[in-house]
Amino acid sequence: MPEPDQHTLARRKDIIAAMRDIIPSPGGVIVDEDQLRPYECDGLMAYRQLPMIVVLPENTGQVAAILKYCHTNKIRVVPRGAGTGLSGGALPMADAITISMMKFNRVLDIDWDNRAAVVQPGVTNLGITRAVEHKGFYYAPDPSSQIACSIGGNIAENSGGVHSLKYGLTTNNVLGVEMVTIEGEILRVGGKGLDQTGYDLLGIITGSEGLLGIVTEVTVRILRKPETARALLLGFNSSEEGGKCVAAIIAAGIIPGGLEMMDAPAIKATEDFVHAGYPLDVEALLLVELDGPQVEVDYLIERVGKIAKDFNAVYSRISESEEERLLFWSGRKNAFPAIGRISPDYMCMDGTIPRVRLAEVLAGMQVLSQRHGLGVANVFHAGDGNLHPLIMFDANKPGDLERAEAFGGDILKLCVEVGGVLSGEHGIGVEKRDLMGEMFTADDMKHQERIKMAFDEDQLLNPGKVFPTLHGCGELKTLHAKAVADKFPTIPRF
């Protein structure tokens, strides 16, 4: 992480006074060490750092005033949502103001005709569905942490969930945002309209991990709840057979509402915790959900069942009620805490691979597990190849954390080697920052940095995240067309 700026630390009392002028309400500025402690990390608890101070603004004007002050006085800023992120994206800095957005917790408007909801960024993911479900609507992206994670954090990391295969990630379900830049300027990007003109700034902001600005309002798409939804449990004697079944289902033109996979260690831990009715005598378990009109769902269940038989499924069970369907899903959604019951610590990784390489990568993980001497349980979004290996270790044992980090790095390198990417939905943060060179060239990263500089030239917003090394504007020289032509001479020119 960047070294703390001593000049900023020397001005801490003045900065606190300025923040209290902007946020006069009691509890709006946190400065005592004991009260700062809950903000020392996010969901990646292996890395901790007390923030210089924490502020909790209550409206967009206060956010704009804070950022304008920080820009004028060259003070670093770390945006924070609910703190459930798993890549260290909200890791504080000793010389930075952490801005918690959790007082922005209101649903502002529900537009049933345009199927859109306008909410503040501190509203939880599940809170959006709760606000609209009485009329048969819901918000589609559903991370396992949906009961706690905020929609602002979902935008920062472009979160997904178990139903993203069919309904898309956050970027596919956000229609517009209000965002405050580091200069304190308030921008509105997108809106309730289906398409927006000009550059896709909303696409740049979604997944930008707090490096470009702070979102203060969100417009999301809400969907009609499907008429029918049923889930299937399919068990296999090997992960290879399960992986091939996943690829075959998609190849047949069937797009399930959800298509999840768990390996034997995850199945056992989850069943012991939730008692969802999972079979304990299989090596791989698929959870397939099909939704839509009743006649379509019945037809697709039959087709998926036949495909599973072709790949030697040894277990099959179909939900017979809504309660049973939710029970099936409760196991999957509680897989992470289930692992927490059997291991003192675990590190949840997040890489994405082509579906057809599932079996190969799972086998590779077992080799890596033996090499590093640590256990791993696999729970993942099989339909879109988004893996979540859970590396089990004990942070109290000397060297275990370092081995877990090395194991996780090797898993992500393997994902990139087979044509995948470093992150599917958790973001880069600090966890994967130093692996960016495995996926991007130096020129690739400089192009991304140019976008960062366009929004935040002084690199005050969430420094130390995403990029292994940040360059100054003078270092990021323009790449001219002639340089591209020299580098790629075989590309036709017109």
Side-chain angles (χ1 to χ4, degrees):
M1 297 294 287
E3 289 294 322
D5 181 70
Q6 297 303 316
H7 179 58
T8 298
L9 293 175
R11 293 180 290 154
R12 184 173 186 265
K13 289 185 178 179
D14 293 337
I15 295 169
I16 291 171
M19 292 300 103
R20 284 176 170 160
D21 286 342
I22 295 171
I23 309 175
S25 57
V29 181
I30 299 174
V31 299
D32 295 334
E33 182 175 333
D34 288 345
Q35 293 179 315
L36 292 172
R37 190 67 64 186
Y39 296 91
E40 68 181 357
C41 67
D42 57 11
L44 185 64
M45 293 180 285
Y47 309 132
R48 299 170 185 266
Q49 168 64 57
L50 278 180
M52 179 173 67
I53 62 172
V54 174
V55 296
L56 291 89
E58 300 176 6
N59 56 63
T60 301
Q62 289 180 348
V63 174
I66 293 166
L67 290 181
K68 185 175 182 180
Y69 174 87
C70 290
H71 180 254
T72 301
N73 293 277
K74 307 306 178 198
I75 299 168
R76 293 164 171 165
V77 173
V78 176
R80 180 184 174 96
T84 59
L86 293 168
S87 64
L91 181 68
M93 298 183 67
D95 63 341
I97 298 175
T98 290
I99 301 181
S100 171
M101 297 299 291
M102 294 313 290
K103 285 193 174 182
F104 282 68
N105 56 9
R106 293 185 297 129
V107 175
L108 301 176
D109 177 50
I110 300 172
D111 186 339
W112 305 106
D113 292 336
N114 286 306
R115 299 193 174 189
V118 181
V119 303
Q120 292 184 317
V123 173
T124 63
N125 175 288
L126 187 59
I128 300 175
T129 292
R130 292 282 183 262
V132 299
E133 63 185 357
H134 64 286
K135 286 198 174 183
F137 286 83
Y138 74 112
Y139 177 63
D142 55 345
S144 294
S145 59
Q146 66 179 144
I147 193 172
C149 65
S150 68
I151 188 64
N154 289 177
I155 289 174
E157 308 295 357
N158 191 22
S159 304
V162 297
H163 290 94
S164 292
L165 173 63
K166 184 172 183 177
Y167 296 104
L169 303 167
T170 299
T171 190
N172 306 111
N173 290 274
V174 170
L175 300 172
V177 298
E178 176 185 82
M179 186 181 83
V180 184
T181 69
I182 189 63
E183 293 91 353
E185 183 181 0
I186 301 170
L187 305 179
R188 282 195 169 272
V189 180
K192 294 179 183 178
L194 183 61
D195 293 306
Q196 303 295 322
T197 58
Y199 291 118
D200 184 15
L201 294 178
L202 189 59
I204 293 174
I205 292 167
T206 306
S208 60
E209 303 196 32
L211 270 67
L212 307 183
I214 295 182
V215 170
T216 52
E217 184 183 292
V218 187
T219 303
V220 300
R221 187 194 319 276
I222 56 175
L223 302 177
R224 274 284 185 190
K225 186 178 179 181
E227 174 188 319
T228 304
R230 297 179 71 188
L232 293 84
L233 294 177
L234 300 170
F236 300 85
N237 282 329
S238 72
S239 294
E240 182 177 7
E241 289 174 332
K244 288 181 178 178
C245 183
V246 169
I249 290 171
I250 303 299
I254 301 171
I255 306 298
L259 180 47
E260 301 290 298
M261 187 169 173
M262 305 168 70
D263 66 7
I267 296 167
K268 185 178 188 313
T270 301
E271 180 59 20
D272 289 346
F273 182 43
V274 179
H275 307 296
Y278 291 172
L280 298 176
D281 57 349
V282 298
E283 290 298 315
L285 183 67
L286 292 187
L287 175 51
V288 188
E289 180 167 289
L290 299 159
D291 59 15
Q294 177 76 52
V295 64
E296 178 184 355
V297 170
D298 291 343
Y299 170 71
L300 291 178
I301 285 177
E302 183 178 350
R303 286 191 65 193
V304 169
K306 288 180 179 178
I307 292 171
K309 285 183 179 179
D310 290 341
F311 289 93
N312 306 314
V314 295
Y315 179 88
S316 179
R317 180 179 169 189
I318 304 170
S319 64
E320 299 298 337
S321 66
E322 179 66 5
E323 291 74 22
E324 190 172 32
R325 182 186 75 86
L326 294 175
L327 181 62
F328 288 178
W329 278 114
S330 71
R332 168 60 185 89
K333 297 239 174 188
N334 285 283
F336 291 5
I339 296 298
R341 293 176 72 241
I342 64 172
S343 177
D345 299 281
Y346 69 85
M347 188 174 289
C348 177
M349 307 308 296
D350 166 52
T352 299
I353 62 171
R355 282 184 294 266
V356 294
R357 308 297 288 273
L358 272 174
E360 175 187 346
V361 171
L362 291 175
M365 282 190 211
Q366 294 307 312
V367 173
L368 293 172
S369 175
Q370 294 175 8
R371 180 185 304 167
H372 292 281
L374 295 173
V376 62
N378 281 288
V379 182
F380 53 91
H381 311 308
D384 54 14
N386 185 195
L387 308 180
H388 292 316
L390 301 168
I391 299 170
M392 295 174 277
F393 68 101
D394 185 350
N396 292 315
K397 288 184 179 179
D400 249 27
L401 174 58
E402 291 75 17
R403 284 194 293 155
E405 289 177 313
F407 186 4
D410 285 345
I411 289 174
L412 294 174
K413 289 175 184 177
L414 177 60
C415 290
V416 174
E417 285 172 12
V418 300
V421 297
L422 291 173
S423 175
E425 57 173 336
H426 293 174
I428 301 299
V430 296
E431 177 201 38
K432 309 180 187 75
R433 178 194 63 193
D434 296 335
L435 293 170
M436 285 284 279
E438 298 290 329
M439 183 173 170
F440 298 107
T441 67
D443 282 344
D444 291 335
M445 285 188 278
K446 284 181 179 180
H447 279 304
Q448 295 179 46
E449 287 181 65
R450 289 185 182 98
I451 296 174
K452 159 75 171 169
M453 294 297 181
F455 284 84
D456 177 25
E457 185 175 347
D458 295 321
Q459 305 172 20
L460 299 174
L461 282 165
N462 219 10
K465 317 293 170 57
V466 180
F467 300 109
T469 304
L470 271 175
H471 300 86
C473 284
E475 299 174 88
L476 297 173
K477 297 178 181 178
T478 305
L479 183 64
H480 294 286
K482 184 179 184 305
V484 176
D486 291 341
K487 188 173 181 180
F488 303 102
T490 59
I491 297 178
R493 298 307 193 274
F494 302 95

